Amino acid sequence: MIVRFFQRYAGFFSVLAGLIGYRLILPDDSPWWIELGTGLAITLATYLILYKFGVTRHTTKR
């Protein structure tokens, strides 16, 4: 059930984690380019972790 949820919404979940993650990590007065870089890094890391575990392939495990 949970795996199917991540299969369907892996891209959305990764972007959401990137949007929320930098606010939790960085202070409020950080420059916009650091916020952007941190958000992109969190987004890509989350998507690659989901890809590594086969969640984004839309195939069933054998």
Side-chain angles (χ1 to χ4, degrees):
M1 175 84 177
I2 293 173
V3 173
R4 286 187 182 237
F5 174 78
F6 285 133
Q7 264 186 337
R8 183 167 289 174
Y9 300 109
F12 175 73
F13 181 72
S14 298
V15 170
L16 185 65
L19 290 174
I20 293 172
Y22 80 88
R23 293 178 190 242
L24 298 174
I25 296 171
L26 297 174
D28 290 338
D29 58 345
S30 61
W32 67 270
W33 55 273
I34 292 178
E35 292 178 355
L36 179 67
T38 306
L40 285 174
I42 293 171
T43 301
L44 290 174
T46 307
Y47 191 80
L48 288 175
I49 288 171
L50 291 174
Y51 181 77
K52 178 183 174 188
F53 289 113
V55 174
T56 58
R57 283 186 285 179
H58 299 292
T59 59
T60 58
K61 286 191 172 184
R62 293 183 183 180

Coordinates of all heavy atoms in Angstrom, one line a residue:
M1 N 0.8 -1.2 0.0 CA 0.0 0.0 0.0 C 0.9 1.3 0.0 O 0.7 2.1 -0.8 CB -0.9 -0.1 1.2 CG -1.7 1.2 1.4 SD -3.2 1.0 0.4 CE -4.0 2.5 0.9
I2 N 1.8 1.3 0.9 CA 2.7 2.5 1.0 C 3.6 2.6 -0.2 O 3.8 3.7 -0.8 CB 3.5 2.4 2.3 CG1 2.6 2.6 3.5 CG2 4.6 3.5 2.3 CD1 3.3 2.4 4.8
V3 N 4.1 1.4 -0.7 CA 4.9 1.4 -1.9 C 4.2 1.9 -3.1 O 4.7 2.7 -3.9 CB 5.5 0.0 -2.2 CG1 6.3 0.0 -3.5 CG2 6.4 -0.3 -1.0
R4 N 2.9 1.5 -3.3 CA 2.1 2.0 -4.4 C 1.9 3.5 -4.3 O 1.9 4.2 -5.3 CB 0.8 1.3 -4.5 CG 0.9 -0.1 -5.0 CD -0.4 -0.7 -5.2 NE -0.2 -2.1 -5.6 CZ -0.7 -2.5 -6.7 NH1 -1.4 -1.8 -7.5 NH2 -0.5 -3.8 -7.1
F5 N 1.7 4.0 -3.1 CA 1.6 5.5 -2.9 C 2.8 6.2 -3.4 O 2.8 7.2 -4.1 CB 1.3 5.8 -1.5 CG 1.3 7.3 -1.2 CD1 0.2 8.0 -1.5 CD2 2.4 7.9 -0.6 CE1 0.1 9.4 -1.2 CE2 2.4 9.3 -0.3 CZ 1.2 10.0 -0.7
F6 N 4.0 5.7 -3.0 CA 5.3 6.3 -3.5 C 5.5 6.1 -4.9 O 6.1 7.0 -5.6 CB 6.4 5.8 -2.7 CG 6.5 6.3 -1.3 CD1 6.7 5.5 -0.2 CD2 6.4 7.7 -1.0 CE1 6.8 6.0 1.1 CE2 6.4 8.2 0.3 CZ 6.6 7.3 1.3
Q7 N 5.0 5.0 -5.5 CA 5.2 4.8 -6.9 C 4.4 5.9 -7.7 O 4.9 6.4 -8.7 CB 4.6 3.4 -7.3 CG 5.6 2.3 -7.4 CD 5.0 1.1 -8.0 OE1 3.8 0.9 -7.9 NE2 5.8 0.2 -8.5
R8 N 3.2 6.1 -7.3 CA 2.4 7.0 -8.0 C 2.8 8.5 -7.8 O 2.8 9.3 -8.8 CB 0.9 6.9 -7.6 CG 0.0 7.7 -8.3 CD -1.4 7.3 -8.1 NE -1.6 6.1 -8.8 CZ -2.7 5.3 -8.7 NH1 -3.7 5.8 -8.0 NH2 -2.8 4.2 -9.3
Y9 N 3.3 8.8 -6.6 CA 3.6 10.2 -6.3 C 5.0 10.5 -6.0 O 5.3 11.3 -5.1 CB 2.7 10.7 -5.2 CG 1.2 10.6 -5.5 CD1 0.4 9.6 -4.9 CD2 0.6 11.4 -6.4 CE1 -0.9 9.5 -5.2 CE2 -0.7 11.3 -6.7 CZ -1.5 10.4 -6.1 OH -2.8 10.3 -6.4
A10 N 6.0 9.7 -6.6 CA 7.4 9.8 -6.2 C 7.9 11.2 -6.6 O 8.6 11.8 -5.8 CB 8.2 8.8 -6.9
G11 N 7.6 11.7 -7.7 CA 8.1 13.1 -8.1 C 7.5 14.2 -7.2 O 8.2 15.1 -6.8
F12 N 6.2 14.1 -7.0 CA 5.6 15.0 -6.1 C 6.2 15.0 -4.7 O 6.4 16.0 -4.1 CB 4.1 14.8 -6.0 CG 3.3 15.7 -5.1 CD1 3.1 17.0 -5.4 CD2 2.9 15.2 -3.9 CE1 2.5 17.8 -4.5 CE2 2.2 16.0 -3.0 CZ 2.0 17.3 -3.3
F13 N 6.4 13.8 -4.2 CA 6.9 13.6 -2.8 C 8.4 14.2 -2.8 O 8.7 14.9 -1.8 CB 6.9 12.2 -2.4 CG 7.5 11.9 -1.1 CD1 6.8 12.3 0.1 CD2 8.7 11.3 -0.9 CE1 7.3 12.0 1.3 CE2 9.2 11.1 0.3 CZ 8.5 11.5 1.5
S14 N 9.1 14.0 -3.8 CA 10.5 14.5 -3.8 C 10.5 16.1 -3.9 O 11.3 16.7 -3.1 CB 11.2 14.0 -5.1 OG 11.3 12.6 -5.0
V15 N 9.7 16.7 -4.7 CA 9.6 18.1 -4.7 C 9.1 18.7 -3.4 O 9.6 19.7 -2.9 CB 8.7 18.6 -5.9 CG1 8.4 20.1 -5.8 CG2 9.3 18.2 -7.2
L16 N 8.1 18.0 -2.8 CA 7.6 18.5 -1.5 C 8.7 18.4 -0.4 O 8.8 19.3 0.4 CB 6.4 17.6 -1.1 CG 5.7 18.0 0.2 CD1 5.0 19.4 0.0 CD2 4.6 17.0 0.5
A17 N 9.5 17.3 -0.4 CA 10.6 17.2 0.5 C 11.6 18.3 0.3 O 12.2 18.9 1.3 CB 11.2 15.8 0.4
G18 N 11.9 18.7 -1.0 CA 12.8 19.7 -1.3 C 12.3 21.1 -0.8 O 13.1 21.9 -0.3
L19 N 11.0 21.3 -0.9 CA 10.4 22.6 -0.5 C 10.4 22.8 1.0 O 10.6 23.9 1.5 CB 9.0 22.8 -1.1 CG 8.9 23.0 -2.6 CD1 7.5 23.0 -3.0 CD2 9.6 24.3 -3.0
I20 N 10.2 21.7 1.7 CA 10.1 21.8 3.1 C 11.5 21.6 3.8 O 11.8 22.2 4.8 CB 9.2 20.7 3.7 CG1 7.7 21.0 3.2 CG2 9.2 20.6 5.2 CD1 6.8 19.9 3.5
G21 N 12.3 20.8 3.2 CA 13.6 20.5 3.8 C 14.5 21.7 4.0 O 15.2 21.8 5.1
Y22 N 14.6 22.6 3.1 CA 15.6 23.7 3.3 C 15.1 24.6 4.3 O 15.9 25.3 5.0 CB 15.8 24.4 1.9 CG 14.7 25.4 1.5 CD1 14.8 26.7 2.0 CD2 13.7 25.0 0.7 CE1 13.8 27.6 1.6 CE2 12.7 25.9 0.3 CZ 12.8 27.2 0.8 OH 11.8 28.1 0.4
R23 N 13.8 24.7 4.6 CA 13.3 25.6 5.7 C 13.6 25.0 7.0 O 13.8 25.7 8.0 CB 11.8 25.7 5.5 CG 11.4 26.5 4.3 CD 9.9 26.6 4.2 NE 9.6 27.1 2.9 CZ 8.9 28.3 2.7 NH1 8.5 28.9 3.8 NH2 8.6 28.7 1.5
L24 N 13.7 23.7 7.1 CA 14.1 23.0 8.4 C 15.6 23.1 8.6 O 16.0 23.1 9.8 CB 13.6 21.6 8.4 CG 12.1 21.4 8.3 CD1 11.8 19.9 8.1 CD2 11.4 22.0 9.5
I25 N 16.4 23.1 7.6 CA 17.9 23.1 7.7 C 18.5 24.5 7.8 O 19.3 24.7 8.7 CB 18.5 22.3 6.5 CG1 18.0 20.9 6.5 CG2 20.0 22.4 6.5 CD1 18.3 20.1 5.3
L26 N 18.1 25.4 7.0 CA 18.8 26.7 6.9 C 18.1 27.7 7.8 O 16.9 27.6 8.1 CB 18.7 27.2 5.4 CG 19.4 26.3 4.4 CD1 19.2 26.9 3.0 CD2 20.9 26.3 4.7
P27 N 18.9 28.7 8.2 CA 18.3 29.8 9.0 C 17.4 30.7 8.1 O 17.5 30.6 6.9 CB 19.5 30.6 9.5 CG 20.6 30.2 8.6 CD 20.3 28.8 8.1
D28 N 16.6 31.6 8.7 CA 15.7 32.4 8.0 C 16.4 33.5 7.1 O 15.8 33.9 6.1 CB 14.7 33.1 8.9 CG 13.8 32.1 9.6 OD1 13.6 31.1 9.0 OD2 13.2 32.4 10.6
D29 N 17.5 33.9 7.5 CA 18.2 35.0 6.7 C 19.2 34.5 5.7 O 20.1 35.3 5.3 CB 18.9 36.0 7.7 CG 19.9 35.3 8.6 OD1 19.9 34.1 8.6 OD2 20.7 36.0 9.2
S30 N 19.1 33.3 5.2 CA 20.0 32.8 4.2 C 19.7 33.3 2.9 O 18.5 33.6 2.6 CB 20.0 31.2 4.2 OG 18.8 30.7 3.9
P31 N 20.7 33.5 2.0 CA 20.4 34.0 0.6 C 19.6 33.0 -0.2 O 19.5 31.8 0.1 CB 21.8 34.1 0.0 CG 22.8 34.0 1.1 CD 22.1 33.3 2.2
W32 N 18.9 33.5 -1.2 CA 18.0 32.7 -2.0 C 18.7 31.6 -2.8 O 18.2 30.6 -3.0 CB 17.2 33.6 -3.0 CG 18.1 34.2 -4.1 CD1 18.7 35.4 -4.0 CD2 18.4 33.7 -5.3 NE1 19.4 35.7 -5.2 CE2 19.2 34.6 -6.0 CE3 18.1 32.5 -6.0 CZ2 19.8 34.3 -7.3 CZ3 18.6 32.2 -7.2 CH2 19.4 33.2 -7.9
W33 N 20.0 31.9 -3.2 CA 20.7 30.9 -4.0 C 21.1 29.7 -3.1 O 21.2 28.6 -3.6 CB 21.9 31.5 -4.7 CG 22.8 32.2 -3.8 CD1 22.8 33.5 -3.4 CD2 24.0 31.7 -3.2 NE1 23.8 33.8 -2.6 CE2 24.6 32.7 -2.5 CE3 24.6 30.4 -3.2 CZ2 25.8 32.5 -1.7 CZ3 25.8 30.3 -2.5 CH2 26.3 31.3 -1.8
I34 N 21.3 29.9 -1.8 CA 21.6 28.8 -1.0 C 20.3 28.0 -0.7 O 20.4 26.7 -0.7 CB 22.2 29.3 0.4 CG1 23.6 29.9 0.1 CG2 22.3 28.1 1.4 CD1 24.3 30.4 1.3
E35 N 19.2 28.7 -0.6 CA 17.9 28.0 -0.4 C 17.6 27.1 -1.6 O 17.2 26.0 -1.5 CB 16.8 29.0 -0.1 CG 16.9 29.7 1.2 CD 15.9 30.7 1.4 OE1 15.1 30.9 0.5 OE2 15.8 31.3 2.5
L36 N 17.9 27.7 -2.8 CA 17.6 27.0 -4.1 C 18.5 25.8 -4.2 O 18.0 24.7 -4.5 CB 17.8 27.9 -5.3 CG 17.6 27.3 -6.6 CD1 16.1 26.9 -6.8 CD2 18.0 28.2 -7.7
G37 N 19.8 25.9 -3.9 CA 20.7 24.8 -4.0 C 20.4 23.7 -3.0 O 20.4 22.5 -3.4
T38 N 20.0 24.1 -1.8 CA 19.7 23.1 -0.8 C 18.4 22.4 -1.2 O 18.3 21.1 -1.0 CB 19.6 23.7 0.6 OG1 20.7 24.5 0.9 CG2 19.3 22.7 1.6
G39 N 17.4 23.1 -1.7 CA 16.2 22.5 -2.1 C 16.3 21.5 -3.2 O 15.8 20.4 -3.2
L40 N 17.2 21.9 -4.2 CA 17.4 21.0 -5.3 C 18.2 19.7 -4.9 O 17.9 18.6 -5.3 CB 18.2 21.7 -6.4 CG 17.5 22.7 -7.3 CD1 18.4 23.4 -8.2 CD2 16.4 22.0 -8.1
A41 N 19.1 19.9 -4.0 CA 19.9 18.8 -3.5 C 19.0 17.8 -2.7 O 19.1 16.6 -2.9 CB 21.0 19.2 -2.6
I42 N 18.1 18.3 -1.9 CA 17.2 17.4 -1.2 C 16.2 16.8 -2.1 O 15.9 15.6 -2.0 CB 16.4 18.2 -0.1 CG1 17.4 18.7 1.0 CG2 15.3 17.4 0.5 CD1 16.8 19.7 1.9
T43 N 15.7 17.5 -3.1 CA 14.8 16.9 -4.1 C 15.5 15.8 -4.9 O 14.9 14.7 -5.0 CB 14.3 18.0 -5.1 OG1 13.7 19.0 -4.4 CG2 13.4 17.4 -6.2
L44 N 16.7 16.0 -5.4 CA 17.4 15.0 -6.2 C 17.8 13.8 -5.3 O 17.6 12.7 -5.7 CB 18.6 15.6 -6.8 CG 18.3 16.5 -8.0 CD1 19.6 17.2 -8.5 CD2 17.6 15.8 -9.1
A45 N 18.2 14.1 -4.1 CA 18.6 13.0 -3.2 C 17.4 12.1 -2.9 O 17.5 10.8 -2.9 CB 19.2 13.5 -1.9
T46 N 16.2 12.7 -2.6 CA 15.0 11.9 -2.3 C 14.6 11.1 -3.5 O 14.2 9.9 -3.4 CB 13.9 12.9 -1.9 OG1 14.3 13.7 -0.8 CG2 12.6 12.1 -1.4
Y47 N 14.6 11.7 -4.7 CA 14.2 11.0 -5.9 C 15.1 9.8 -6.2 O 14.7 8.7 -6.5 CB 14.1 11.9 -7.1 CG 13.4 11.3 -8.3 CD1 12.0 11.2 -8.3 CD2 14.2 10.7 -9.3 CE1 11.4 10.5 -9.4 CE2 13.5 10.1 -10.4 CZ 12.2 10.0 -10.4 OH 11.5 9.4 -11.4
L48 N 16.4 10.1 -6.0 CA 17.4 9.0 -6.3 C 17.3 7.9 -5.3 O 17.5 6.7 -5.6 CB 18.8 9.6 -6.3 CG 19.2 10.4 -7.5 CD1 20.6 11.0 -7.4 CD2 19.1 9.6 -8.8
I49 N 17.0 8.2 -4.0 CA 16.8 7.1 -3.0 C 15.5 6.3 -3.4 O 15.6 5.1 -3.3 CB 16.6 7.7 -1.6 CG1 18.0 8.2 -1.1 CG2 16.0 6.7 -0.6 CD1 17.9 9.0 0.1
L50 N 14.5 7.0 -3.8 CA 13.3 6.2 -4.2 C 13.6 5.4 -5.5 O 13.1 4.3 -5.6 CB 12.1 7.2 -4.5 CG 11.5 7.9 -3.2 CD1 10.5 8.9 -3.7 CD2 10.9 6.9 -2.3
Y51 N 14.4 5.9 -6.4 CA 14.7 5.2 -7.6 C 15.6 4.0 -7.3 O 15.4 2.9 -7.9 CB 15.5 6.1 -8.6 CG 15.9 5.5 -9.9 CD1 15.0 5.3 -10.9 CD2 17.2 5.0 -10.1 CE1 15.3 4.7 -12.0 CE2 17.5 4.4 -11.2 CZ 16.6 4.2 -12.2 OH 16.9 3.6 -13.4
K52 N 16.5 4.1 -6.3 CA 17.4 3.0 -5.9 C 16.6 1.8 -5.4 O 16.9 0.7 -5.7 CB 18.4 3.5 -4.9 CG 19.3 2.4 -4.4 CD 20.2 2.9 -3.3 CE 21.0 1.8 -2.7 NZ 21.7 2.2 -1.5
F53 N 15.6 2.1 -4.7 CA 14.8 1.0 -4.1 C 13.7 0.6 -5.1 O 12.8 -0.2 -4.7 CB 14.1 1.5 -2.8 CG 15.2 1.6 -1.7 CD1 15.5 2.8 -1.2 CD2 15.8 0.4 -1.2 CE1 16.4 2.9 -0.2 CE2 16.8 0.5 -0.2 CZ 17.1 1.8 0.3
G54 N 13.7 1.1 -6.3 CA 12.7 0.6 -7.3 C 11.3 1.1 -7.2 O 10.4 0.6 -7.8
V55 N 11.1 2.2 -6.5 CA 9.8 2.7 -6.3 C 9.4 3.4 -7.6 O 8.2 3.4 -7.9 CB 9.8 3.7 -5.1 CG1 8.5 4.4 -5.0 CG2 10.1 2.9 -3.8
T56 N 10.3 4.1 -8.3 CA 9.9 4.9 -9.4 C 9.8 4.1 -10.7 O 9.5 4.7 -11.8 CB 10.9 6.1 -9.6 OG1 12.2 5.5 -9.8 CG2 10.8 6.9 -8.4
R57 N 10.1 2.8 -10.7 CA 10.2 2.1 -12.0 C 8.8 1.6 -12.4 O 8.7 1.1 -13.6 CB 11.1 0.9 -11.8 CG 12.6 1.3 -11.9 CD 13.4 0.1 -11.9 NE 13.5 -0.4 -10.6 CZ 14.1 -1.5 -10.2 NH1 14.8 -2.2 -11.1 NH2 14.1 -1.9 -9.0
H58 N 7.8 1.6 -11.6 CA 6.5 1.1 -11.9 C 6.5 -0.3 -12.3 O 5.8 -0.8 -13.2 CB 5.8 2.0 -13.0 CG 5.7 3.4 -12.6 ND1 4.8 3.8 -11.6 CD2 6.3 4.5 -13.0 CE1 4.9 5.1 -11.5 NE2 5.7 5.5 -12.3
T59 N 7.4 -1.1 -11.7 CA 7.4 -2.6 -12.0 C 7.2 -3.3 -10.6 O 7.5 -2.8 -9.6 CB 8.7 -3.0 -12.6 OG1 9.8 -2.7 -11.7 CG2 8.9 -2.4 -13.9
T60 N 6.7 -4.5 -10.7 CA 6.5 -5.3 -9.5 C 7.8 -6.1 -9.2 O 8.5 -6.4 -10.1 CB 5.3 -6.3 -9.7 OG1 5.6 -7.1 -10.8 CG2 4.1 -5.5 -9.9
K61 N 8.0 -6.3 -7.9 CA 9.2 -7.1 -7.6 C 8.9 -8.6 -7.7 O 7.8 -9.0 -7.5 CB 9.6 -6.8 -6.1 CG 10.3 -5.5 -6.0 CD 10.8 -5.4 -4.6 CE 11.7 -4.1 -4.5 NZ 12.4 -4.0 -3.2
R62 N 9.9 -9.3 -8.1 CA 9.7 -10.8 -8.3 C 10.2 -11.5 -7.1 O 11.1 -11.2 -6.5 CB 10.4 -11.2 -9.5 CG 9.7 -10.6 -10.7 CD 10.4 -11.2 -12.0 NE 9.8 -10.5 -13.1 CZ 10.1 -10.8 -14.3 NH1 11.0 -11.6 -14.6 NH2 9.5 -10.2 -15.3

